[in-house]
């Protein structure tokens, strides 16, 4: 709103991560100086572990943010229509295309509004993804998704009748719930099930940095020097260094050696085969594919006793689920030399916590329109002709990607999971190539390691795009070619996770830089080549970007 007076003055279907999702042991994955926006520094939390802190401070920060930002006499909070659910968003055909696009929003069942510009910022963490197993309807215990764990934690963990809790899923959210259960004062059995035929458990970064130059692992990772070791297609300023490390044989050898050393060191640091975890199966928590590929997802050990508490108190199983019964869950036999694992295993369970992620498919667009806009839909619902068109582009793009990044040709052995959905196909992960009038953008339809920095970069890029302030926007054919190359790169780079088409987890710095480069902005770069290359990318680096943009366009 500070960048364009034409932006709509109402915000619909907004979710701020509030107290209902927060629980006592839920801490941030992003540290101080990074977990904030550039125009309002966060007061450093009193509780910290290498800069990581409880999520309640982020909630308080966001609450103050919407109250402290005032435009035309109204705060951001004043502009939010609370308890207003968007039921449908669709484009209304116009008799004269020169008039531009017209979008109709239906909310609260009967209310409608029409607008010529839309920013969809619904993200990808609103619709819980809950698998169905044989016997699910027979189960008599408590069932919840980790989205609701914050609301249910006190009752769940203090209820003496709940003697056994089962956590399902392999991502960091499962580790957070497992840790919270492990720290509960009541004695009970805690089981954590990670399916055998999936991507495996998350890899856990240590909170501390590898060198004293940085205060924590995020600072050590999110700088432009480390970004040069990432084979991605974003950003140009340090392109010569990336070319050296990704396109030359000595550079590729050096980059691979660094990543291999990092992987070996991380596995040793976490001691997955430690003595205290032998009875609980703690070794089952060791991630499958090397950390470089991020195929297992990842997170930060943001408590000093994070893995120790889990090793001592949580029984970890790498098996597929066979079925549920009234008060139990049965796991399939698995391929193993151990006689115990060659037979099915039935566990008594009083409560199930699904940490199984989210559905990335939008539920507010008609399916045909969602596919045309480049959103994720079921493959079976995709238009066959357009899907074939995209597949042809992506096949050609794959050869381009491999010529640019030879190290991606030979991934490690991993379980290939056939996708059920189309990837996101958005220009710069935001704009549909099918929208010639630049009337709609999608924010947050991606997975990255620092959402704050990406949110700021996407916000200013999207406003410039909607306002027609980007001079170098390509044609539709050129957009589609770039999108196809991004999708092909993502699949090669992040394996199963890359099927999303916008899984850029490690690529925060380069992606944000690329967006601002396209806007011809540079105030976020540090003074002096050594500082720009080696210093961490903090939130306040972006503090002058809005002013620079306004001056450039005389706003």
């Amino acid at each position: 709103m500070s960048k364009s007076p034409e932006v709509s003055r109402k915000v619909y279907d907004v979710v701020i991560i509030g107290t209902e999702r927060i629980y006592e042991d839920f801490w941030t994955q992003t540290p101080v100086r990074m977990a904030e926006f550039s125009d309002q520094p966060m007061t450093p939390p009193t509780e910290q572990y290498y800069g990581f802190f409880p999520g309640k401070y982020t909630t308080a920060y966001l609450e103050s943010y919407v109250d402290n930002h005032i435009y035309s006499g109204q705060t951001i909070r004043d502009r939010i229509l609370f308890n207003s659910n968007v039921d449908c968003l669709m484009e209304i055909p116009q008799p004269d295309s020169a008039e531009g696009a017209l979008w109709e929003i239906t909310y609260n069942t009967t209310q409608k509004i029409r607008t010529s510009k839309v920013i969809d910022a619904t993200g990808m963490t609103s619709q819980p993804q809950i698998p169905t197993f044989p016997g699910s309807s027979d189960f008599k215990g408590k069932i919840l998704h980790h989205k609701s764990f914050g609301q249910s934690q006190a009752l769940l963990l203090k209820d003496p009748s709940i003697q056994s809790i089962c956590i399902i899923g392999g991502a960091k959210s499962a580790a957070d719930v497992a840790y919270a259960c492990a720290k509960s004062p009541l004695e009970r059995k805690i089981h954590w099930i990670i399916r055998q035929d999936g991507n495996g458990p998350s890899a856990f970064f240590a909170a501390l940095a590898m060198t004293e130059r940085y205060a924590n692992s995020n600072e050590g990772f999110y700088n432009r020097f480390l970004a040069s070791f990432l084979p991605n297609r974003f950003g140009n300023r340090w392109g010569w260094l990336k070319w050296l490390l990704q396109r030359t044989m000595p550079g590729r050898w050096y980059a691979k050696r660094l990543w291999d050393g990092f992987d070996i060191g991380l596995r040793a640091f976490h001691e997955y085969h430690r003595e205290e975890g032998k009875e609980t199966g703690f070794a089952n928590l060791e991630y499958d594919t090397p950390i470089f590929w991020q195929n297992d997802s990842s997170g930060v050990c943001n408590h000093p006793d994070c893995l120790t508490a889990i090793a001592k108190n949580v029984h970890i199983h790498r098996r597929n689920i066979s079925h549920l019964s009234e008060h139990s869950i049965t796991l399939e036999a698995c391929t193993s030399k151990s006689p115990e694992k060659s037979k099915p295993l039935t566990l008594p369970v009083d409560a199930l916590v699904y940490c199984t992620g989210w559905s990335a498919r939008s539920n507010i667009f008609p399916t045909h329109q969602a596919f045309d806009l480049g959103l994720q839909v079921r493959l079976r619902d995709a238009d066959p002709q357009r899907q074939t068109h995209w597949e042809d582009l992506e096949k050609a793009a794959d050869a381009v990607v491999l010529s640019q990044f030879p190290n991606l040709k030979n991934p490690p052995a991993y379980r290939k999971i056939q996708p059920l959905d189309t990837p996101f196909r958005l220009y710069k992960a935001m704009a549909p190539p099918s929208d010639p009038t630049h009337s709609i953008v999608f924010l947050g339809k991606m997975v990255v390691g620092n959402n704050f920095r990406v949110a700021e970069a996407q916000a200013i890029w999207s406003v410039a795009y909607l306002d027609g302030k980007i001079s170098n926007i390509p044609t539709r054919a050129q957009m589609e070619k770039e999108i196809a190359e991004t999708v092909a790169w993502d699949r090669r780079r992040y394996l199963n996770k890359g099927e999303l088409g916008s899984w850029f987890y490690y690529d925060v710095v380069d992606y944000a830089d690329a967006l601002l480069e396209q806007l011809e902005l540079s105030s976020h770069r540090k003074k002096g080549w050594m500082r720009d290359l080696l210093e961490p990318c903090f939130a306040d680096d972006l503090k002058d970007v809005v002013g620079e943009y306004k001056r450039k366009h005389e706003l």
Side-chain angles (χ1 to χ4, degrees), residues 40-308:
Q40 182 176 312
M42 175 188 280
T43 302
T46 55
E47 303 168 77
Q48 291 189 34
Y49 176 64
Y50 287 101
F52 301 96
F53 54 90
K56 63 185 179 182
Y57 292 98
T58 296
T59 297
Y61 172 80
L62 293 175
E63 292 279 1
S64 69
Y65 192 92
V66 297
D67 290 329
N68 293 340
H69 286 70
I70 303 171
Y71 306 95
S72 302
Q74 286 187 302
T75 66
I76 293 178
R77 188 186 296 274
D78 294 334
R79 298 164 184 271
I80 298 173
L81 298 181
F82 291 100
N83 301 314
S84 297
N85 297 312
V86 174
D87 303 303
C88 182
L89 171 57
M90 64 184 298
E91 186 176 8
I92 305 299
Q94 291 286 80
D96 183 358
S97 59
E99 295 180 7
L102 182 64
W103 297 89
E104 183 176 83
I105 302 166
T106 303
Y107 66 100
N108 292 349
T109 308
T110 59
Q111 303 297 305
K112 295 182 185 293
I113 187 171
R114 291 189 172 187
T115 180
S116 60
K117 301 287 184 181
V118 174
I119 298 176
D120 179 325
T122 51
M124 299 196 299
T125 56
S126 296
Q127 302 176 65
Q129 185 165 268
I130 300 178
T132 302
F133 300 107
S136 292
S137 59
D138 299 327
F139 185 68
K140 303 298 185 185
K142 296 181 183 297
I143 298 178
L144 64 147
H145 187 268
H146 80 268
K147 176 182 179 180
S148 306
F149 186 73
Q151 294 172 291
S152 307
Q153 180 200 21
L155 294 176
L156 191 69
L157 299 186
K158 293 179 181 179
D159 186 345
S161 69
I162 297 178
Q163 294 295 303
S164 178
I165 297 175
C166 182
I167 302 154
I168 299 174
K172 181 57 168 61
S173 59
D176 288 336
V177 171
Y179 178 78
C181 293
K183 298 294 285 186
S184 171
L186 292 182
E187 274 195 38
R188 54 167 59 91
K189 280 281 189 180
I190 306 164
H191 297 280
W192 180 359
I193 300 171
I194 303 168
R195 65 186 179 121
Q196 191 176 26
D197 60 358
N199 291 321
S202 287
F204 300 106
F205 289 98
L208 74 164
M210 292 186 291
T211 70
E212 294 182 0
R213 181 184 184 92
Y214 304 109
N216 52 63
S217 54
N218 273 35
E219 287 190 17
F221 194 84
Y222 293 126
N223 58 74
R224 293 184 177 89
F225 177 69
L226 260 293
S228 300
F229 288 84
L230 301 171
N232 65 44
R233 313 179 70 253
F234 311 123
N236 293 311
R237 180 164 175 180
W238 290 102
W240 66 268
L241 183 56
K242 194 176 289 288
W243 176 87
L244 181 68
L245 292 168
Q246 306 299 335
R247 301 287 292 275
T248 70
M249 191 173 294
R252 294 199 304 272
W253 175 86
Y254 182 64
K256 185 177 186 303
R257 187 176 178 85
L258 180 139
W259 277 103
D260 288 347
F262 181 39
D263 187 80
I264 292 169
L266 196 62
R267 292 176 192 269
F269 180 80
H270 288 319
E271 299 180 287
Y272 287 108
H273 299 274
R274 64 181 73 180
E275 187 67 30
E276 64 187 352
K278 287 186 176 179
E279 290 188 8
T280 58
F282 183 69
N284 288 323
L285 203 57
E286 184 170 5
Y287 53 95
D288 293 346
T289 49
I291 194 78
F292 167 82
W293 299 92
Q294 233 265 329
N295 188 50
D296 319 286
S297 187
S298 60
V300 176
C301 287
N302 45 14
H303 299 276
D305 63 340
C306 180
L307 294 186
T308 299

Side-chain angles (χ1 to χ4, degrees), residues 253-519:
W253 175 86
Y254 182 64
K256 185 177 186 303
R257 187 176 178 85
L258 180 139
W259 277 103
D260 288 347
F262 181 39
D263 187 80
I264 292 169
L266 196 62
R267 292 176 192 269
F269 180 80
H270 288 319
E271 299 180 287
Y272 287 108
H273 299 274
R274 64 181 73 180
E275 187 67 30
E276 64 187 352
K278 287 186 176 179
E279 290 188 8
T280 58
F282 183 69
N284 288 323
L285 203 57
E286 184 170 5
Y287 53 95
D288 293 346
T289 49
I291 194 78
F292 167 82
W293 299 92
Q294 233 265 329
N295 188 50
D296 319 286
S297 187
S298 60
V300 176
C301 287
N302 45 14
H303 299 276
D305 63 340
C306 180
L307 294 186
T308 299
I310 290 173
K312 290 180 177 178
N313 301 296
V314 180
H315 296 266
I316 301 167
H317 309 272
R318 291 292 303 276
R319 298 194 187 201
N320 294 333
I321 294 173
S322 170
H323 63 274
L324 300 177
S325 300
E326 288 190 1
H327 299 287
S328 66
I329 185 168
T330 299
L331 309 182
E332 295 178 359
C334 60
T335 305
S336 172
K337 295 180 181 179
S338 168
E340 295 178 358
K341 293 185 179 180
S342 63
K343 300 177 181 179
L345 176 66
T346 298
L347 305 170
V349 176
D350 298 313
L352 284 175
V353 183
Y354 286 102
C355 298
T356 45
W358 313 88
S359 171
R361 295 186 298 276
S362 175
N363 62 357
I364 61 175
F365 290 91
T367 300
H368 71 280
Q369 201 163 81
F371 178 72
D372 192 49
L373 289 169
L375 301 180
Q376 189 178 78
V377 301
R378 289 287 192 187
L379 275 169
R380 64 171 181 259
D381 295 329
D383 177 83
Q385 186 174 355
R386 290 294 299 164
Q387 179 63 13
T388 299
H389 167 74
W390 278 112
E391 289 173 355
D392 289 343
L393 287 177
E394 288 156 11
K395 184 178 180 180
D398 187 60
V400 175
V401 169
L402 292 181
S403 69
Q404 293 174 337
F405 306 111
N407 274 3
L408 300 184
K409 286 182 180 179
N410 300 303
Y414 72 101
R415 300 176 191 87
K416 173 66 176 175
I417 299 174
Q418 292 302 318
L420 299 176
D421 303 310
T422 62
F424 283 97
R425 294 177 172 126
L426 297 165
Y427 177 64
K428 304 301 182 187
M430 286 179 280
S434 61
D435 175 29
T437 59
H438 299 183
S439 63
I440 187 169
V441 290
F442 297 90
L443 307 187
K445 297 295 187 184
M446 61 193 314
V447 176
V448 291
N450 181 346
N451 287 293
F452 280 92
R453 190 175 189 86
V454 167
E456 282 208 59
Q458 282 198 333
I460 192 167
W461 189 96
S462 62
V463 170
Y465 176 82
L466 293 175
D467 282 351
K469 302 293 188 185
I470 304 178
S471 60
N472 53 355
I473 290 291
T475 64
R476 175 170 180 169
Q478 291 169 329
M479 273 190 187
E480 290 186 348
K481 181 175 181 293
E482 180 176 324
I483 291 168
E485 290 179 359
T486 299
V487 170
W489 164 80
D490 210 19
R491 288 170 174 155
R492 288 284 183 176
R493 175 66 185 88
Y494 292 113
L495 308 180
N496 287 328
K497 297 295 187 184
E499 293 290 345
L500 185 71
S502 57
W503 188 280
F504 305 161
Y505 195 88
Y506 289 148
D507 307 288
V508 170
V509 173
D510 284 339
Y511 174 73
D513 279 354
L515 295 184
L516 299 177
E517 281 176 13
Q518 189 175 19
L519 301 182

